Amino acid sequence: SPFAVVNTIDYVTITTLGNATDFGDLTQARTGYGSAASSTRGVFGGGKIAPLAFANIQSTIDYIEIQSTGNAFDFGDLNDTIGRPSATSDSTRAVFAGGYNQLTAPLFNSVGDLQYITISTKGNAATFGNQFFGRYGMGAAASPTRAIYFGGGYESSPGTVTNVNLIDYVTIQTLGDAKDFGDLTEKSRMIASCANSTRGLRAAGRAPNRVNTIDYVTIASTGDAINFGELASILGLFPASL
């Protein structure tokens, strides 16, 4: 393994500036999982025990109660073992998208699945639909009604990663396939994202080198992303092969 895999959970009080504090631990140390939350519960699904090994991709979903520090508990399982999925949620449902698994080995390619859980009810994930285009390492963000997935990548041959600028979306409470939303300003993967009730932002990533770009979209209106600005520094510690 080229870098350490840990099970640490930290937290901050968002309204108060300061360093993070230890929250507890995941049920197993892993990297490359998707995460989402309701107002009370956080969930973490999929990931890898060893960063570059297909044999160690996981289907585990953990959960925590956000207001109570402590270790995570088992929630259930994803439909398959998934590395680098992307997840986001409304107040009740989390939707996991993309990622890669043993079915695509030796390529880090996605089967394009969408699957969901009801955050308040422990259990296994259920099928939601399929992505507009299967990929991994996307950014994910949501309004109270719609989830959007930014960019991502796939391998056309082992070790050759192709980034995309696609944005697709789903209506979180309506099962079905994702639809095309528009395009990012650049092709990128390993993206960070966030949103409020109206606007979604994509930041950083590999395009193919690390970038500090910030784009935004109006979540209720389909269309191409618009440049928002830049991060204060270029972030990212991922090897180019991931």
Side-chain angles (χ1 to χ4, degrees):
S1 167
F3 53 85
V5 177
V6 299
N7 61 356
T8 306
I9 308 170
D10 289 348
Y11 78 95
V12 296
T13 301
I14 297 173
T15 57
T16 305
L17 302 182
N19 295 335
T21 302
D22 183 58
F23 186 99
D25 296 325
L26 295 172
T27 60
Q28 60 183 173
R30 59 193 198 275
T31 185
Y33 48 83
S35 58
S38 68
S39 60
T40 59
R41 178 175 282 183
V43 292
F44 313 90
K48 303 177 292 176
I49 294 175
L52 300 179
F54 277 100
N56 289 311
I57 300 173
Q58 303 298 300
S59 61
T60 304
I61 306 173
D62 291 351
Y63 78 96
I64 57 169
E65 302 297 339
I66 296 173
Q67 294 302 317
S68 302
T69 58
N71 294 336
F73 298 94
D74 181 60
F75 184 98
D77 292 305
L78 297 172
N79 290 336
D80 200 352
T81 55
I82 301 291
R84 299 214 179 282
S86 300
T88 191
S89 59
D90 61 9
S91 60
T92 59
R93 178 179 283 179
V95 182
F96 291 82
Y100 48 77
N101 61 18
Q102 281 89 344
L103 295 176
T104 66
L107 299 178
F108 287 94
N109 282 348
S110 172
V111 292
D113 288 343
L114 294 167
Q115 47 191 305
Y116 76 96
I117 58 173
T118 301
I119 298 173
S120 63
T121 305
K122 292 179 287 184
N124 296 334
T127 298
F128 187 100
N130 293 291
Q131 288 185 272
F132 183 74
F133 181 83
R135 56 213 195 270
Y136 73 90
M138 301 169 289
S143 70
T145 58
R146 180 179 280 186
I148 53 177
Y149 300 94
F150 297 105
Y154 67 95
E155 284 193 345
S156 54
S157 61
T160 302
V161 183
T162 299
N163 294 332
V164 300
N165 61 354
L166 297 174
I167 309 170
D168 53 7
Y169 76 97
V170 299
T171 301
I172 297 173
Q173 291 300 320
T174 304
L175 304 184
D177 295 341
K179 298 178 182 180
D180 183 44
F181 186 100
D183 294 325
L184 295 172
T185 61
E186 61 191 350
K187 297 178 180 180
S188 184
R189 71 185 190 279
M190 315 308 282
I191 292 169
S193 295
C194 63
N196 61 14
S197 60
T198 58
R199 181 177 283 186
L201 283 82
R202 157 263 166 170
R206 301 192 67 99
N209 296 321
R210 300 182 184 98
V211 295
N212 60 352
T213 310
I214 307 171
D215 292 343
Y216 78 93
V217 297
T218 301
I219 299 174
S221 302
T222 58
D224 293 341
I226 299 170
N227 183 254
F228 185 97
E230 295 180 344
L231 296 173
S233 60
I234 296 176
L235 304 177
L237 299 174
F238 300 108
S241 62
L242 290 183

